[in-house]
């Protein structure tokens, strides 16, 4: 099953990750969901397999692979646990911004432990005044006596309570047209004034922690600035746009594969009228629709990742993949519940969790409306 053709090495990676996921993730995914717990203890194990540092260069202890490989890893994890999928994908965003925009010293300082999974990363952009209003961020960074002093509150932040390396965007001034200037900083866990606030009780993706992070007079050396002063919007949008949204698309492709596999298994096992329901044509139509949604999302995601690996612009392609995959995953999960009759709403089966995870994926990394606006803008420009 799968129309997109991967290289032999990519298939080998998928096989290795799948074996790990089936042994270490699949048996516990439901328990993490019920307990609403992120299994942080698995990160060093995933580090040994190269998952935590999948695209981090080998010189910093990573696997040195590409964004297609990263999507494969997220898809495989999310086939069983979308929650752990988003925890990993956000960890990747934290590593990505340091790898892409960091100085040699910053890379040497942070990437080896992030790649090893002994430290967990995060990216804090969204604020209570609205995630869609990216430039409306109110958190501030002020230069006082040669040090940066950060104040503000971020919300809906994945890994908020478990990350050791947090990356913040804050407003550090205004330009000559009065527009906000954003800059980015790396903040280490334990820095005075920095810490988690409220933890959200989410509908889905519950194998991850989501919550507030607060900065109250956090004082940083200039060496903690990531990229140049004023580069914050480029850094954060680059990470959210291409890494965040493609990561969410990969998570949803994993959920879609779960829907295909669970619907086939159930339809073959459930006997009604003395025969498996897979013999009923109405059930076959549902399985066909699950397969089409999965294949289409898969093709969109991996075509976009081929562009990303070739260092081609892919913002719109990633938005198309994220928009389609997250909406399709919600459709497919609901369809699979319908196919299962009463069993579809019994929590012993994972499909109810798939629906909650798919719905929770829709706003993560910007809502479907925002993806539509990006796609429409690109289409109208021609
Ligand atoms: C599980 C989860 C994990 C997350 N992890 C992170 C993270 O790690 N880091 C991080 O920084 N953020 C994270 N987020 C935040 C996420 O990026 C935001 O939730 C998202 O950008 C939407 O922002 P908002 O929730 O404030 O909604 P709003 O921006 O308040 O949007 C409200 C409504 O207005 C609509 N809307 C907004 N603008 C327009 C427009 N121009 N035209 C028409 N309609 C519009 C939206 O589509 C939506 O329906 C996470 C969110 C979730 C749910």
């Amino acid at each position: 099953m799968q129309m997109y053709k991967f290289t032999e090495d990519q298939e080998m990676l998928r096989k290795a990750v799948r074996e790990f996921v089936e042994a270490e993730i699949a048996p516990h995914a439901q328990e993490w969901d019920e307990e609403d717990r992120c299994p942080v203890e698995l990160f060093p194990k995933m580090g040994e397999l190269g998952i935590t540092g999948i695209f981090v260069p080998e010189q910093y202890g990573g696997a040195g692979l590409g964004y297609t490989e990263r999507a494969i890893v997220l898809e495989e994890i999310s086939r069983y646990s979308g929650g752990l999928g988003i925890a990993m994908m956000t960890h990747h965003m934290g590593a990505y911004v340091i790898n892409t925009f960091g100085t040699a010293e910053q890379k040497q300082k942070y990437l080896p432990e992030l790649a090893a999974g002994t430290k967990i990363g995060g990216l804090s952009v969204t604020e209570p005044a609205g995630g869609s209003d990216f430039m409306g961020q109110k958190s501030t960074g002020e230069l006082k006596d040669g040090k940066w002093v950060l104040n503000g509150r971020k919300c809906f932040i994945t890994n908020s309570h478990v990350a050791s390396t947090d990356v913040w965007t804050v407003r550090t001034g205004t330009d000559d047209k009065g527009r906000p200037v954003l800059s980015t900083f790396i903040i280490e866990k334990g820095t005075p004034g920095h810490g988690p606030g409220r933890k959200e009780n989410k509908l889905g993706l519950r194998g991850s922690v989501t919550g507030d992070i607060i900065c109250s007079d956090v004082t940083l050396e200039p060496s903690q600035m990531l990229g140049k002063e004023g580069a914050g919007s480029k850094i954060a949008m680059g990470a959210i746009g291409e890494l965040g949204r493609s990561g969410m698309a990969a998570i949803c492709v994993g959920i879609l594969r779960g829907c295909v596999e669970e619907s086939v298994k159930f339809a073959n096992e459930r006997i009604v009228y003395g025969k498996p329901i897979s013999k009923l044509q109405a059930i076959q139509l549902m399985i066909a629709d699950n397969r089409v949604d999965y294949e289409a999302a898969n093709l969109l995601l991996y075509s976009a990742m081929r562009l990303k690996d070739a260092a081609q612009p892919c913002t719109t392609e990633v938005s198309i993949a994220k928009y389609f995959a997250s909406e399709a995953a919600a459709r497919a999960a609901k369809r699979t519940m319908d196919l299962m009759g009463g069993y579809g709403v019994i929590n012993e089966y994972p499909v109810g969790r798939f629906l909650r995870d798919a719905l929770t994926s829709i706003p993560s990394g910007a809502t479907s409306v925002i993806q539509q606006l990006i796609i429409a803008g690109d289409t109208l420009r021609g």
Side-chain angles (χ1 to χ4, degrees):
M1 187 175 79
Q2 198 153 259
M3 287 164 70
Y4 188 93
K5 293 298 162 226
F6 294 90
T7 65
E8 216 171 290
D9 285 350
Q10 289 166 345
E11 290 294 1
M12 275 168 55
L13 170 79
R14 185 185 288 283
K15 188 167 173 287
V17 176
R18 188 170 295 183
E19 280 167 13
F20 175 84
V21 167
E22 286 175 354
E24 304 276 351
I25 294 174
H28 307 290
Q30 184 171 337
E31 159 196 326
W32 299 329
D33 177 73
E34 282 167 9
E35 293 171 2
D36 196 8
R37 184 177 82 78
C38 178
V40 287
E41 66 281 3
L42 271 190
F43 275 68
K45 278 192 183 179
M46 292 192 281
E48 284 167 26
L49 214 62
I51 290 175
T52 40
I54 187 85
F55 55 77
V56 172
E58 283 171 301
Q59 71 178 112
Y60 300 114
L65 297 172
Y67 298 100
T68 301
E69 286 80 3
R70 183 229 184 196
I72 290 172
V73 158
L74 292 176
E75 179 195 331
E76 290 300 323
I77 293 174
S78 306
R79 158 64 182 91
Y80 291 97
S81 175
L84 183 55
I86 193 174
M88 181 57 63
M89 96 93 192
T90 309
H91 168 81
H92 287 159
M93 284 206 292
Y96 172 83
V97 288
I98 295 173
N99 186 45
T100 309
F101 301 99
T103 61
E105 291 74 31
Q106 288 170 334
K107 291 184 197 186
Q108 196 53 59
K109 186 170 177 193
Y110 295 108
L111 289 179
E113 286 178 304
L114 289 171
T118 48
K119 289 220 165 131
I120 297 179
L123 181 69
S124 299
V125 174
T126 304
E127 296 194 358
S132 309
D133 184 12
F134 175 79
M135 292 308 287
Q137 294 182 41
K138 296 196 170 32
S139 295
T140 54
E142 283 178 89
L143 198 53
K144 286 184 187 164
D145 301 327
K147 296 196 177 174
W148 286 97
V149 180
L150 270 54
N151 280 290
R153 176 156 76 94
K154 301 287 181 179
C155 64
F156 296 142
I157 305 305
T158 306
N159 297 339
S160 51
H161 292 58
V162 298
S164 309
T165 310
D166 186 15
V167 174
W168 268 53
T169 51
V170 292
R171 188 186 279 239
T172 49
T174 44
D175 68 12
D176 47 12
K177 292 191 177 118
R179 291 173 305 202
V181 167
L182 303 180
S183 303
T184 312
F185 293 87
I186 307 171
I187 313 174
E188 293 172 23
K189 186 178 184 173
T191 304
H194 171 268
R198 90 184 234 139
K199 177 176 176 278
E200 302 296 350
N201 180 8
K202 304 193 296 296
L203 174 77
L205 299 176
R206 287 165 60 88
S208 65
V209 179
T210 311
D212 285 5
I213 306 184
I214 293 150
C215 273
S216 179
D217 285 332
V218 170
T219 305
L220 300 175
E221 295 294 336
S223 59
Q224 294 305 107
M225 182 179 273
L226 182 63
K228 291 198 169 64
E229 189 177 344
S233 45
K234 183 178 158 208
I235 294 173
M237 281 319 293
I240 296 167
E242 294 180 0
L243 257 259
R245 290 171 193 158
S246 67
M248 291 316 302
I251 288 166
C252 292
V253 169
I255 297 170
L256 280 160
R257 205 177 89 225
C259 291
V260 175
E261 291 174 359
E262 294 295 332
S263 56
V264 167
K265 183 168 182 283
F266 188 88
N268 282 331
E269 286 172 0
R270 173 70 171 145
I271 308 292
V272 180
Y273 312 114
K275 60 184 180 188
I277 59 168
S278 57
K279 301 282 181 204
L280 301 172
Q281 281 188 334
I283 297 293
Q284 292 176 8
L285 302 187
M286 289 173 162
I287 287 173
D289 284 347
N290 276 358
R291 174 80 187 270
V292 171
D293 276 339
Y294 163 72
E295 295 283 4
N298 200 54
L299 287 168
L300 289 170
L301 167 66
Y302 288 105
S303 306
M305 290 305 88
R306 185 180 286 163
L307 292 174
K308 178 80 182 153
D309 279 327
Q312 299 285 319
C314 58
T315 303
T316 307
E317 289 78 1
V318 165
S319 277
I320 293 172
K322 198 265 175 178
Y323 173 48
F324 182 84
S326 57
E327 297 285 349
R331 277 199 305 272
K334 160 73 166 55
R335 187 186 296 128
T336 306
M337 290 175 79
D338 291 343
L339 176 149
M340 293 173 69
Y343 293 99
V345 298
I346 303 300
N347 281 334
E348 191 185 321
Y349 294 90
V351 65
R353 175 161 53 84
F354 291 168
L355 180 61
R356 290 188 286 106
D357 288 351
L359 290 172
T360 308
S361 297
I362 292 173
S364 313
T367 62
S368 285
V369 166
I370 296 298
Q371 311 309 332
Q372 286 172 292
L373 294 177
I374 292 168
I375 298 161
D378 182 69
T379 311
L380 289 166
R381 278 191 299 276

